[in-house]
Every structure is written in structure tokens, then in C-alpha cells.
Coordinates of all heavy atoms in Angstrom, one line a residue:
M1194 N 70.4 134.5 97.6 CA 69.3 134.3 98.4 C 69.4 132.8 99.1 O 69.9 131.9 98.4 CB 68.1 134.2 97.6 CG 66.7 134.5 98.5 SD 65.3 135.3 97.6 CE 64.9 133.8 96.7
K1195 N 69.0 132.8 100.3 CA 69.1 131.5 101.0 C 68.2 130.4 100.6 O 68.5 129.2 100.8 CB 68.9 131.8 102.6 CG 70.1 132.5 103.2 CD 69.9 132.8 104.6 CE 71.1 133.6 105.1 NZ 71.1 133.9 106.6
I1196 N 67.1 130.9 100.0 CA 66.1 129.7 99.6 C 66.1 129.9 98.1 O 66.1 131.0 97.4 CB 64.7 130.1 100.2 CG1 64.8 130.3 101.7 CG2 63.7 129.1 99.7 CD1 65.1 129.0 102.4
R1197 N 66.1 128.7 97.5 CA 66.1 128.6 96.1 C 64.9 127.7 95.6 O 64.4 126.9 96.2 CB 67.4 128.0 95.5 CG 68.4 129.1 95.7 CD 69.8 128.6 95.3 NE 70.8 129.4 95.9 CZ 72.2 129.0 95.9 NH1 72.5 128.0 95.4 NH2 73.0 130.0 96.4
K1198 N 64.8 127.7 94.2 CA 63.8 126.8 93.6 C 64.2 125.3 93.9 O 65.3 124.9 94.0 CB 63.9 127.0 92.0 CG 62.7 126.4 91.4 CD 62.8 126.8 89.8 CE 61.7 126.1 89.1 NZ 62.0 124.8 88.7
D1199 N 63.0 124.6 94.2 CA 63.2 123.1 94.5 C 63.6 122.8 95.9 O 63.8 121.7 96.3 CB 64.1 122.4 93.4 CG 63.4 122.3 92.1 OD1 62.1 122.4 92.0 OD2 64.0 122.4 91.1
D1200 N 63.9 123.8 96.6 CA 64.1 123.6 98.1 C 62.7 123.1 98.8 O 61.6 123.5 98.3 CB 64.5 124.9 98.8 CG 66.0 125.3 98.5 OD1 66.7 124.3 98.0 OD2 66.4 126.3 98.8
T1201 N 62.9 122.4 99.9 CA 61.7 122.2 100.7 C 61.7 123.0 101.9 O 62.8 123.0 102.6 CB 61.6 120.6 101.1 OG1 61.7 119.9 99.9 CG2 60.4 120.3 101.8
V1202 N 60.7 123.8 102.1 CA 60.8 124.7 103.3 C 59.6 124.6 104.1 O 58.6 124.0 103.9 CB 60.8 126.2 102.8 CG1 62.0 126.5 101.9 CG2 59.5 126.4 101.9
L1203 N 59.8 125.1 105.4 CA 58.7 125.1 106.4 C 58.4 126.6 106.6 O 59.1 127.4 106.7 CB 59.1 124.5 107.7 CG 58.3 124.6 108.8 CD1 57.2 123.5 108.7 CD2 59.0 124.5 110.2
V1204 N 57.0 126.8 106.6 CA 56.6 128.2 106.8 C 56.6 128.5 108.3 O 55.9 127.7 109.1 CB 55.1 128.4 106.3 CG1 54.7 129.8 106.4 CG2 55.2 128.0 104.7
V1205 N 57.2 129.5 108.8 CA 57.3 129.7 110.2 C 56.5 131.0 110.6 O 56.6 131.4 111.7 CB 58.8 130.0 110.6 CG1 59.5 128.6 110.4 CG2 59.6 131.0 109.8
A1206 N 55.8 131.8 109.6 CA 55.1 132.9 110.0 C 53.9 133.1 109.1 O 53.9 132.5 108.0 CB 56.0 134.1 110.0
G1207 N 53.0 133.8 109.5 CA 51.9 134.0 108.7 C 50.8 133.0 108.9 O 50.8 132.2 109.7
K1208 N 49.7 133.1 107.9 CA 48.5 132.3 108.2 C 48.8 130.8 107.8 O 48.0 130.0 108.2 CB 47.4 132.8 107.3 CG 47.5 132.8 105.7 CD 46.3 133.3 105.2 CE 46.5 133.5 103.6 NZ 46.2 132.3 102.9
D1209 N 49.8 130.6 107.0 CA 50.0 129.2 106.7 C 51.3 128.5 107.5 O 51.9 127.6 107.1 CB 50.5 129.1 105.2 CG 49.2 129.2 104.2 OD1 48.2 128.7 104.7 OD2 49.4 129.9 103.3
K1210 N 51.5 129.3 108.7 CA 52.6 128.7 109.7 C 52.4 127.1 109.8 O 51.3 126.7 110.1 CB 52.3 129.4 110.9 CG 53.6 129.3 111.9 CD 53.3 130.3 113.0 CE 54.2 130.0 114.2 NZ 54.1 130.9 115.4
G1211 N 53.5 126.5 109.8 CA 53.5 125.0 110.0 C 53.4 124.2 108.8 O 53.6 123.0 108.8
K1212 N 53.1 124.8 107.6 CA 53.0 124.0 106.3 C 54.3 123.9 105.8 O 55.3 124.7 105.9 CB 52.2 124.8 105.4 CG 50.6 124.7 105.6 CD 49.9 125.2 104.4 CE 48.4 125.2 104.6 NZ 47.6 125.8 103.6
K1213 N 54.5 122.7 105.0 CA 55.7 122.4 104.4 C 55.3 122.4 102.8 O 54.4 122.0 102.4 CB 56.2 121.0 104.8 CG 56.8 121.0 106.2 CD 57.2 119.5 106.4 CE 57.4 119.4 107.9 NZ 57.7 118.1 108.4
G1214 N 56.3 122.8 102.2 CA 56.2 122.7 100.7 C 57.5 122.9 99.9 O 58.5 123.3 100.4
K1215 N 57.3 122.6 98.6 CA 58.4 122.7 97.8 C 58.4 124.2 97.1 O 57.3 124.6 96.7 CB 58.4 121.6 96.7 CG 59.6 121.5 96.1 CD 59.5 120.1 95.1 CE 60.4 120.3 94.0 NZ 60.2 119.1 93.0
V1216 N 59.5 124.8 96.9 CA 59.6 126.2 96.3 C 59.5 125.9 94.8 O 60.3 125.3 94.1 CB 61.0 126.7 96.7 CG1 61.0 128.1 95.9 CG2 61.1 126.9 98.1
R1217 N 58.4 126.5 94.3 CA 58.1 126.3 92.8 C 58.8 127.5 92.0 O 59.3 127.3 90.9 CB 56.6 126.5 92.6 CG 56.0 125.2 93.0 CD 54.8 124.8 92.2 NE 53.8 126.0 92.3 CZ 52.5 126.0 91.7 NH1 52.3 124.9 91.0 NH2 51.8 126.9 91.8
F1218 N 58.9 128.7 92.6 CA 59.6 129.9 92.0 C 60.3 130.6 92.9 O 59.8 130.7 94.1 CB 58.7 130.7 91.1 CG 58.0 130.1 90.0 CD1 56.6 129.6 90.1 CD2 58.7 129.8 88.9 CE1 56.1 129.0 89.0 CE2 58.0 129.3 87.8 CZ 56.7 128.8 87.8
A1219 N 61.4 131.1 92.6 CA 62.1 132.1 93.5 C 62.3 133.4 92.8 O 62.5 133.4 91.6 CB 63.5 131.6 93.9
Y1220 N 62.1 134.6 93.5 CA 62.3 135.7 93.0 C 63.4 136.6 93.8 O 63.0 137.3 94.7 CB 60.9 136.5 93.0 CG 59.8 135.8 92.4 CD1 58.9 135.1 93.2 CD2 59.6 135.8 91.0 CE1 57.9 134.4 92.7 CE2 58.5 135.0 90.5 CZ 57.7 134.4 91.3 OH 56.6 133.7 90.8
P1221 N 64.5 136.2 93.5 CA 65.7 136.8 94.3 C 65.7 138.3 94.5 O 66.1 138.8 95.5 CB 66.9 136.3 93.6 CG 66.6 135.2 92.7 CD 65.2 135.4 92.4
K1222 N 65.3 139.0 93.4 CA 65.3 140.5 93.4 C 64.2 141.0 94.5 O 64.6 141.9 95.1 CB 64.8 141.0 92.0 CG 65.7 142.0 91.6 CD 65.6 142.3 90.1 CE 64.1 142.7 89.8 NZ 64.0 142.9 88.3
D1223 N 63.2 140.3 94.7 CA 62.2 140.7 95.7 C 62.4 139.9 97.0 O 61.6 140.3 97.9 CB 60.8 140.5 95.1 CG 60.5 141.2 93.8 OD1 61.1 142.4 93.7 OD2 60.0 140.8 92.8
E1224 N 63.2 138.9 97.0 CA 63.4 138.1 98.3 C 62.1 137.4 98.5 O 61.7 137.2 99.7 CB 63.9 138.9 99.3 CG 65.3 139.5 99.1 CD 66.0 139.7 100.4 OE1 65.4 140.5 101.2 OE2 67.0 139.3 100.7
R1225 N 61.4 137.0 97.4 CA 60.1 136.3 97.5 C 60.1 135.0 97.0 O 60.9 134.8 96.1 CB 58.9 137.1 97.2 CG 58.7 138.4 97.7 CD 57.7 139.2 97.2 NE 56.4 138.7 97.8 CZ 55.9 139.0 99.0 NH1 56.5 139.9 99.7 NH2 54.8 138.4 99.4
I1226 N 59.3 134.0 97.4 CA 59.3 132.7 96.8 C 57.7 132.3 96.7 O 56.9 132.8 97.4 CB 60.0 131.6 97.7 CG1 59.5 131.7 99.1 CG2 61.5 131.8 97.6 CD1 60.2 130.6 99.9
L1227 N 57.6 131.4 95.7 CA 56.3 130.7 95.7 C 56.4 129.4 96.1 O 57.2 128.5 95.6 CB 55.8 130.8 94.2 CG 54.3 130.6 93.9 CD1 53.5 131.9 94.4 CD2 54.1 130.4 92.5
V1228 N 55.6 129.0 97.1 CA 55.7 127.7 97.7 C 54.4 126.9 97.4 O 53.4 127.3 97.5 CB 55.9 127.7 99.2 CG1 56.1 126.3 99.7 CG2 57.1 128.6 99.6
E1229 N 54.6 125.7 96.9 CA 53.5 124.7 96.6 C 52.5 124.5 97.8 O 53.0 124.3 98.9 CB 54.1 123.3 96.4 CG 53.5 122.7 95.1 CD 54.5 121.5 94.8 OE1 54.6 120.6 95.6 OE2 55.0 121.4 93.6
G1230 N 51.3 124.9 97.6 CA 50.2 124.8 98.5 C 50.1 125.8 99.6 O 49.5 125.6 100.6
V1231 N 51.0 126.8 99.4 CA 51.1 127.8 100.6 C 50.6 129.1 100.1 O 50.8 129.5 98.9 CB 52.5 127.9 101.1 CG1 52.8 129.0 102.0 CG2 52.9 126.6 101.8
N1232 N 49.9 129.8 101.0 CA 49.4 131.2 100.8 C 48.4 131.3 99.4 O 48.7 132.1 98.6 CB 50.6 132.2 100.5 CG 50.2 133.6 100.7 OD1 49.2 133.9 101.5 ND2 50.8 134.5 99.9
F1233 N 47.4 130.6 99.6 CA 46.4 130.6 98.6 C 45.6 131.9 98.8 O 45.2 132.3 99.8 CB 45.4 129.5 98.7 CG 45.8 128.2 97.9 CD1 46.4 127.1 98.5 CD2 45.8 128.3 96.5 CE1 46.8 126.1 97.9 CE2 46.3 127.1 95.8 CZ 46.8 126.0 96.4
I1234 N 45.4 132.6 97.8 CA 44.6 133.8 97.8 C 43.5 133.7 96.8 O 43.6 133.1 95.8 CB 45.5 135.1 97.5 CG1 46.1 135.0 96.1 CG2 46.4 135.5 98.6 CD1 46.5 136.3 95.5
K1235 N 42.3 134.3 97.3 CA 41.1 134.3 96.4 C 41.3 135.6 95.5 O 41.5 136.6 96.1 CB 39.9 134.3 97.2 CG 39.7 132.9 98.0 CD 38.3 132.9 98.6 CE 38.1 131.5 99.1 NZ 38.7 131.3 100.4
M1236 N 41.0 135.3 94.2 CA 41.0 136.5 93.3 C 39.7 136.5 92.6 O 39.3 135.5 92.1 CB 42.1 136.3 92.4 CG 43.5 136.5 92.9 SD 44.8 136.1 91.7 CE 44.4 137.3 90.5
H1237 N 39.2 137.7 92.5 CA 38.0 137.9 91.8 C 38.3 138.4 90.4 O 39.2 139.3 90.2 CB 37.1 139.0 92.5 CG 36.6 138.7 93.8 ND1 35.5 138.0 94.0 CD2 37.2 138.9 95.1 CE1 35.3 137.7 95.3 NE2 36.3 138.3 95.9
S1238 N 37.9 137.6 89.5 CA 38.3 137.9 88.1 C 36.9 138.2 87.4 O 36.0 137.7 87.5 CB 39.1 136.8 87.5 OG 38.1 135.7 87.2
R1239 N 37.1 139.2 86.5 CA 36.0 139.6 85.6 C 36.0 138.7 84.5 O 37.1 138.2 83.9 CB 36.2 141.0 85.2 CG 34.8 141.8 85.4 CD 35.2 143.3 85.0 NE 35.7 144.0 86.1 CZ 36.3 145.3 85.8 NH1 36.3 145.8 84.6 NH2 36.8 145.9 86.9
A1240 N 34.9 138.3 83.9 CA 34.7 137.4 82.8 C 35.3 138.2 81.5 O 34.9 139.4 81.3 CB 33.3 137.2 82.5
R1241 N 36.2 137.4 80.9 CA 36.7 138.0 79.6 C 36.2 137.2 78.4 O 35.8 136.1 78.7 CB 38.3 138.0 79.7 CG 38.8 139.2 80.4 CD 40.3 139.0 80.4 NE 40.8 139.3 81.9 CZ 41.7 138.5 82.4 NH1 42.3 137.5 81.9 NH2 42.1 139.0 83.6
R1242 N 36.2 137.8 77.3 CA 35.6 137.1 76.2 C 36.3 135.7 75.9 O 35.7 134.7 75.7 CB 35.7 138.0 75.0 CG 34.4 138.0 74.3 CD 34.3 139.2 73.3 NE 34.0 140.5 74.1 CZ 34.2 141.7 73.6 NH1 34.7 141.9 72.3 NH2 33.8 142.8 74.2
Q1243 N 37.6 135.8 75.9 CA 38.4 134.6 75.7 C 38.4 133.6 76.8 O 38.4 132.3 76.6 CB 39.9 134.9 75.4 CG 40.1 135.9 74.2 CD 40.0 137.3 74.5 OE1 39.6 137.7 75.6 NE2 40.7 138.2 73.7
V1244 N 38.5 134.2 78.1 CA 38.5 133.2 79.1 C 37.1 133.0 79.8 O 36.5 134.1 80.2 CB 39.4 133.8 80.2 CG1 39.6 132.7 81.4 CG2 40.8 134.1 79.6
R1245 N 36.6 131.8 79.8 CA 35.3 131.6 80.3 C 35.2 131.7 81.7 O 34.2 132.0 82.3 CB 34.9 130.2 79.8 CG 34.4 130.2 78.4 CD 33.0 130.8 78.2 NE 32.6 131.4 76.9 CZ 32.3 130.7 75.8 NH1 32.0 129.3 76.0 NH2 32.0 131.2 74.6
Q1246 N 36.3 131.3 82.5 CA 36.3 131.2 83.8 C 36.1 132.6 84.5 O 36.9 133.5 84.2 CB 37.5 130.6 84.3 CG 37.6 130.1 85.7 CD 38.8 129.4 86.2 OE1 39.9 129.6 85.5 NE2 38.9 128.7 87.3
A1247 N 35.1 132.8 85.3 CA 35.0 134.0 86.0 C 34.6 133.7 87.4 O 34.4 132.7 87.9 CB 33.7 134.7 85.4
G1248 N 34.6 134.7 88.2 CA 34.3 134.6 89.6 C 35.6 134.4 90.4 O 36.5 135.2 90.3
L1249 N 35.5 133.5 91.3 CA 36.5 133.3 92.2 C 37.6 132.4 91.8 O 37.3 131.1 91.5 CB 35.9 132.8 93.6 CG 36.5 133.4 94.9 CD1 36.4 134.8 95.0 CD2 35.6 132.7 96.0
I1250 N 38.8 132.7 91.8 CA 40.0 131.9 91.4 C 40.9 131.8 92.6 O 41.3 132.9 93.3 CB 40.6 132.5 90.2 CG1 39.7 132.3 89.0 CG2 41.9 131.7 90.0 CD1 40.4 133.1 87.8
E1251 N 41.2 130.6 93.0 CA 42.2 130.5 94.1 C 43.6 130.3 93.5 O 43.8 129.4 92.7 CB 41.8 129.4 95.1 CG 40.9 129.9 96.0 CD 40.8 129.0 97.2 OE1 40.1 128.0 97.2 OE2 41.5 129.3 98.2
R1252 N 44.6 130.9 93.9 CA 46.0 130.6 93.3 C 47.0 131.0 94.5 O 46.6 131.7 95.4 CB 46.3 131.4 92.1 CG 45.9 132.9 92.2 CD 46.7 133.6 91.1 NE 48.0 133.8 91.5 CZ 48.8 134.8 91.1 NH1 48.4 135.8 90.4 NH2 50.1 134.9 91.6
E1253 N 48.2 130.3 94.4 CA 49.2 130.6 95.3 C 49.7 132.0 95.0 O 49.9 132.5 93.9 CB 50.2 129.5 95.3 CG 49.8 128.2 95.6 CD 50.3 127.1 94.8 OE1 50.4 127.3 93.5 OE2 50.7 126.0 95.3
A1254 N 50.1 132.6 96.2 CA 50.8 134.0 96.0 C 52.2 133.8 96.7 O 52.4 133.0 97.5 CB 50.0 135.0 96.8
S1255 N 53.1 134.7 96.3 CA 54.4 134.7 96.8 C 54.5 135.1 98.2 O 53.6 135.8 98.7 CB 55.5 135.3 96.0 OG 55.1 136.7 96.1
I1256 N 55.5 134.5 99.0 CA 55.6 134.9 100.4 C 57.2 135.4 100.5 O 58.0 135.0 99.6 CB 55.4 133.9 101.3 CG1 56.1 132.6 101.1 CG2 53.8 133.6 101.4 CD1 56.0 131.5 102.2
H1257 N 57.4 136.2 101.5 CA 58.7 136.6 101.7 C 59.7 135.6 102.3 O 59.2 134.7 103.0 CB 58.8 137.7 102.7 CG 60.0 138.6 102.7 ND1 60.9 138.6 103.5 CD2 60.5 139.5 101.8 CE1 62.0 139.3 103.3 NE2 61.7 139.9 102.1
V1258 N 60.9 135.4 101.8 CA 61.7 134.3 102.3 C 61.9 134.3 103.9 O 62.2 133.3 104.4 CB 63.2 134.4 101.7 CG1 63.1 133.9 100.2 CG2 63.8 135.8 101.8
S1259 N 61.7 135.5 104.4 CA 61.9 135.5 105.9 C 60.8 134.7 106.6 O 60.9 134.5 107.8 CB 62.0 136.9 106.4 OG 60.8 137.5 106.2
N1260 N 59.8 134.4 105.9 CA 58.6 133.6 106.5 C 58.9 132.0 106.4 O 58.1 131.4 106.9 CB 57.4 134.0 105.8 CG 57.0 135.4 106.1 OD1 57.4 136.0 107.1 ND2 56.0 135.9 105.4
V1261 N 60.0 131.7 105.9 CA 60.2 130.3 105.8 C 61.6 129.9 106.4 O 62.5 130.8 106.4 CB 60.1 129.8 104.3 CG1 58.8 130.0 103.8 CG2 61.2 130.3 103.5
M1262 N 61.8 128.6 106.7 CA 63.0 128.0 107.0 C 63.2 126.9 106.1 O 62.4 126.1 105.8 CB 63.1 127.7 108.4 CG 63.3 128.8 109.4 SD 63.5 128.3 111.1 CE 65.2 128.0 111.2
L1263 N 64.6 126.8 105.7 CA 64.8 125.5 104.9 C 64.7 124.3 105.7 O 65.2 124.2 106.9 CB 66.2 125.7 104.3 CG 66.7 124.6 103.3 CD1 66.0 124.8 102.0 CD2 68.2 124.7 103.1
L1264 N 64.2 123.2 105.1 CA 64.2 121.9 105.8 C 65.5 121.2 105.3 O 65.5 120.8 104.1 CB 62.9 121.1 105.4 CG 61.7 121.5 106.2 CD1 60.6 120.8 105.7 CD2 61.8 121.2 107.7
C1265 N 66.3 120.8 106.2 CA 67.5 120.1 105.8 C 67.2 118.6 105.6 O 66.6 118.1 106.6 CB 68.7 120.3 106.9 SG 70.1 119.3 106.6
S1266 N 67.6 118.1 104.6 CA 67.2 116.7 104.3 C 68.0 115.8 105.2 O 67.7 114.6 105.3 CB 67.6 116.3 102.7 OG 68.8 116.6 102.4
R1267 N 69.1 116.2 105.7 CA 69.8 115.3 106.6 C 69.3 115.4 108.0 O 69.1 114.4 108.7 CB 71.4 115.7 106.6 CG 72.2 114.6 107.1 CD 73.6 114.9 106.8 NE 74.4 114.7 107.9 CZ 75.7 114.8 108.2 NH1 76.4 115.2 107.0 NH2 76.4 114.5 109.2
C1268 N 69.2 116.7 108.6 CA 68.6 116.8 109.9 C 67.2 116.4 109.9 O 66.6 116.2 111.1 CB 68.8 118.2 110.3 SG 70.5 119.0 110.1
N1269 N 66.5 116.7 108.8 CA 65.1 116.6 108.7 C 64.3 117.5 109.6 O 63.2 117.1 110.3 CB 64.6 115.1 109.1 CG 63.3 114.8 108.6 OD1 62.9 115.4 107.5 ND2 62.6 113.7 109.2
H1270 N 64.9 118.6 109.9 CA 64.0 119.6 110.6 C 64.5 121.0 110.0 O 65.6 121.1 109.4 CB 64.2 119.5 112.1 CG 65.6 119.8 112.6 ND1 66.0 121.0 112.8 CD2 66.6 119.0 112.8 CE1 67.3 121.0 113.3 NE2 67.7 119.8 113.3
P1271 N 63.6 122.0 110.4 CA 64.1 123.4 109.9 C 65.4 123.9 110.4 O 65.6 123.8 111.6 CB 62.8 124.2 110.2 CG 62.2 123.5 111.3 CD 62.5 122.2 111.2
V1272 N 66.1 124.4 109.5 CA 67.4 124.9 109.9 C 67.9 126.3 109.4 O 67.2 126.8 108.5 CB 68.5 123.9 109.4 CG1 68.4 122.5 110.1 CG2 68.6 123.8 107.9
R1273 N 68.8 126.9 110.0 CA 69.3 128.1 109.4 C 70.4 127.8 108.4 O 71.1 126.8 108.4 CB 70.0 129.0 110.6 CG 68.9 129.5 111.6 CD 69.4 130.3 112.6 NE 70.4 131.3 112.0 CZ 70.9 132.3 112.7 NH1 70.7 132.4 114.1 NH2 71.7 133.1 112.1
V1274 N 70.4 128.7 107.3 CA 71.4 128.4 106.3 C 72.5 129.3 106.3 O 72.4 130.5 106.6 CB 70.6 128.5 104.9 CG1 71.6 128.5 103.8 CG2 69.5 127.7 104.8
G1275 N 73.7 128.9 106.1 CA 74.9 129.7 106.1 C 75.5 129.5 104.6 O 75.1 128.7 103.8
F1276 N 76.5 130.4 104.4 CA 77.2 130.4 103.2 C 78.7 130.1 103.4 O 79.3 130.5 104.4 CB 77.1 131.7 102.3 CG 75.7 131.9 101.8 CD1 74.9 132.7 102.4 CD2 75.4 131.3 100.5 CE1 73.6 133.0 101.9 CE2 74.1 131.4 100.0 CZ 73.2 132.3 100.7
R1277 N 79.3 129.4 102.5 CA 80.7 129.0 102.8 C 81.4 129.1 101.4 O 80.7 128.7 100.4 CB 80.7 127.6 103.3 CG 81.9 127.0 103.4 CD 81.8 125.9 104.6 NE 81.1 124.7 103.9 CZ 80.6 123.8 104.9 NH1 80.8 123.9 106.2 NH2 80.0 122.7 104.4
M1278 N 82.6 129.5 101.3 CA 83.3 129.5 100.0 C 84.1 128.2 99.9 O 84.7 127.8 100.8 CB 84.3 130.7 100.1 CG 83.7 132.0 99.9 SD 82.9 132.3 98.3 CE 84.0 133.5 97.7
L1279 N 84.0 127.7 98.6 CA 84.8 126.5 98.4 C 86.2 126.9 97.9 O 86.4 128.1 97.6 CB 84.2 125.7 97.3 CG 82.8 125.0 97.7 CD1 82.3 124.2 96.6 CD2 82.9 124.2 98.9
E1280 N 87.1 126.0 97.8 CA 88.4 126.3 97.5 C 88.5 126.9 96.0 O 89.3 127.7 95.6 CB 89.4 125.1 97.5 CG 89.8 125.0 99.0 CD 90.7 123.7 99.0 OE1 91.2 123.1 98.0 OE2 90.8 123.1 100.2
D1281 N 87.5 126.4 95.3 CA 87.6 126.9 93.7 C 86.8 128.3 93.6 O 86.6 128.7 92.6 CB 86.9 125.7 92.9 CG 85.5 125.5 93.2 OD1 84.8 126.3 94.0 OD2 84.9 124.6 92.5
G1282 N 86.5 128.8 94.8 CA 85.8 130.2 94.7 C 84.2 130.1 94.7 O 83.7 131.2 94.6
R1283 N 83.7 128.9 94.6 CA 82.2 128.8 94.5 C 81.6 129.1 95.9 O 82.3 128.6 96.9 CB 81.8 127.5 94.0 CG 81.8 127.3 92.5 CD 81.1 126.2 92.0 NE 81.9 125.0 92.5 CZ 81.0 123.9 93.1 NH1 79.8 123.8 93.0 NH2 81.6 122.8 93.5
K1284 N 80.6 129.6 95.9 CA 79.8 129.9 97.2 C 78.6 128.8 97.4 O 77.9 128.8 96.5 CB 79.2 131.4 97.2 CG 79.0 131.9 98.5 CD 78.7 133.3 98.5 CE 77.3 133.7 98.4 NZ 76.9 135.1 98.5
V1285 N 78.8 128.1 98.4 CA 77.7 127.1 98.6 C 77.0 127.3 100.0 O 77.6 127.9 100.9 CB 78.2 125.7 98.6 CG1 78.8 125.3 97.3 CG2 79.2 125.5 99.7
R1286 N 75.7 127.0 100.0 CA 75.0 127.0 101.2 C 75.2 125.8 102.0 O 75.6 124.8 101.5 CB 73.4 127.0 100.9 CG 73.0 128.3 100.0 CD 71.6 128.3 99.7 NE 71.3 127.0 98.9 CZ 70.1 126.7 98.8 NH1 69.0 127.3 99.2 NH2 69.7 125.6 98.0
F1287 N 75.2 126.0 103.3 CA 75.3 124.9 104.2 C 74.3 124.9 105.4 O 73.9 126.0 105.6 CB 76.8 124.6 104.6 CG 77.3 125.6 105.6 CD1 77.2 125.2 106.9 CD2 77.6 126.9 105.2 CE1 77.6 126.2 108.0 CE2 78.1 127.8 106.2 CZ 78.1 127.6 107.6
C1288 N 74.1 123.8 105.9 CA 73.2 123.7 107.0 C 74.0 124.0 108.3 O 75.0 123.4 108.7 CB 72.6 122.3 107.2 SG 71.8 122.0 108.8
R1289 N 73.4 125.1 109.0 CA 74.1 125.5 110.2 C 74.0 124.5 111.4 O 74.7 124.5 112.3 CB 73.6 126.8 110.7 CG 74.2 128.0 109.9 CD 73.8 129.2 110.7 NE 74.1 130.4 109.9 CZ 75.3 131.0 109.8 NH1 76.3 130.5 110.5 NH2 75.5 132.1 109.0
S1290 N 73.1 123.6 111.1 CA 72.9 122.6 112.2 C 73.9 121.4 112.0 O 74.5 121.0 113.1 CB 71.4 122.0 112.3 OG 71.2 121.3 113.2
C1291 N 73.9 120.8 111.0 CA 74.7 119.5 110.7 C 76.0 119.8 109.8 O 76.9 119.1 109.8 CB 74.1 118.4 110.2 SG 73.5 118.8 108.6
G1292 N 76.1 121.0 109.3 CA 77.2 121.3 108.5 C 77.3 120.9 107.2 O 78.2 121.1 106.5
E1293 N 76.4 120.2 106.7 CA 76.2 119.6 105.4 C 76.0 120.6 104.4 O 75.1 121.6 104.5 CB 75.0 118.6 105.4 CG 74.9 117.9 104.1 CD 75.5 116.5 104.1 OE1 76.4 116.3 104.9 OE2 75.1 115.6 103.5
A1294 N 76.8 120.5 103.3 CA 76.5 121.4 102.1 C 75.2 121.1 101.6 O 74.9 120.0 101.4 CB 77.7 121.2 101.2
I1295 N 74.6 122.3 101.1 CA 73.2 122.0 100.6 C 73.2 121.9 99.0 O 72.4 121.2 98.4 CB 72.2 123.1 101.1 CG1 71.9 122.9 102.5 CG2 70.9 123.0 100.3 CD1 71.4 124.1 103.3
D1296 N 73.9 122.8 98.3 CA 74.1 122.4 96.8 C 75.4 122.0 96.4 O 76.3 122.1 97.1 CB 73.7 123.8 96.2 CG 73.6 125.0 97.0 OD1 74.3 125.3 97.8 OD2 72.6 125.7 96.7
Ligands
ZN2785 ZN1 71.3 119.7 108.5

């Protein structure tokens, strides 16, 4: 997946368009990520015996990777990510704008 945990991304679609945040979790299987401070949803929860907190809870929900772009630390703007094979066979991501390897 092009986006991984601890990346800094810019949201380019949806209600949080324009927000920047750090990726807290990545779910490669679903191609979804959880971004800090992005896509808060309100959840109604029923009071449970163990948990006193009831009513409205706000938490972040995952968004699809296609809704974000990686912020390149070198270019300092949202970029497209490419993949490149190293001589030792490892696959690394690189910034399509400046060519810098990302991992
Ligand atoms: Zn770059």
C-alpha cells in the first residue's frame, strides 16, 4: 500500500478535505487508514454496566487511501508515490516529484 503508518498525509477528498495528519493505523487489506484528527464520527452508545460513558462519543473513523496524498518531507507538498526496486530486491516507495526514496 502506498500509505503506511506514521506517514503524514493530506486529505484531498471528503468532508475533511485540506486537513493534514499523521497516519495512526493502516489497514492494507481494506486499503484504509486512520488519520489523526480526521474523519471524526459521532457514535451513539448505549450505557453499559461497566462503562459509565453514555450518549455521544466522537472518534476517528478510517478513510480510504485514495482520499489522501502523501506529504513529501522534502518537497513539502502532496505528492504521488511510486515504487522502485533496489538492487537487493527490496521494494521502496519514492516521491514522484523529487525522486527521493521515502522509506
Ligand atoms: Zn518529494
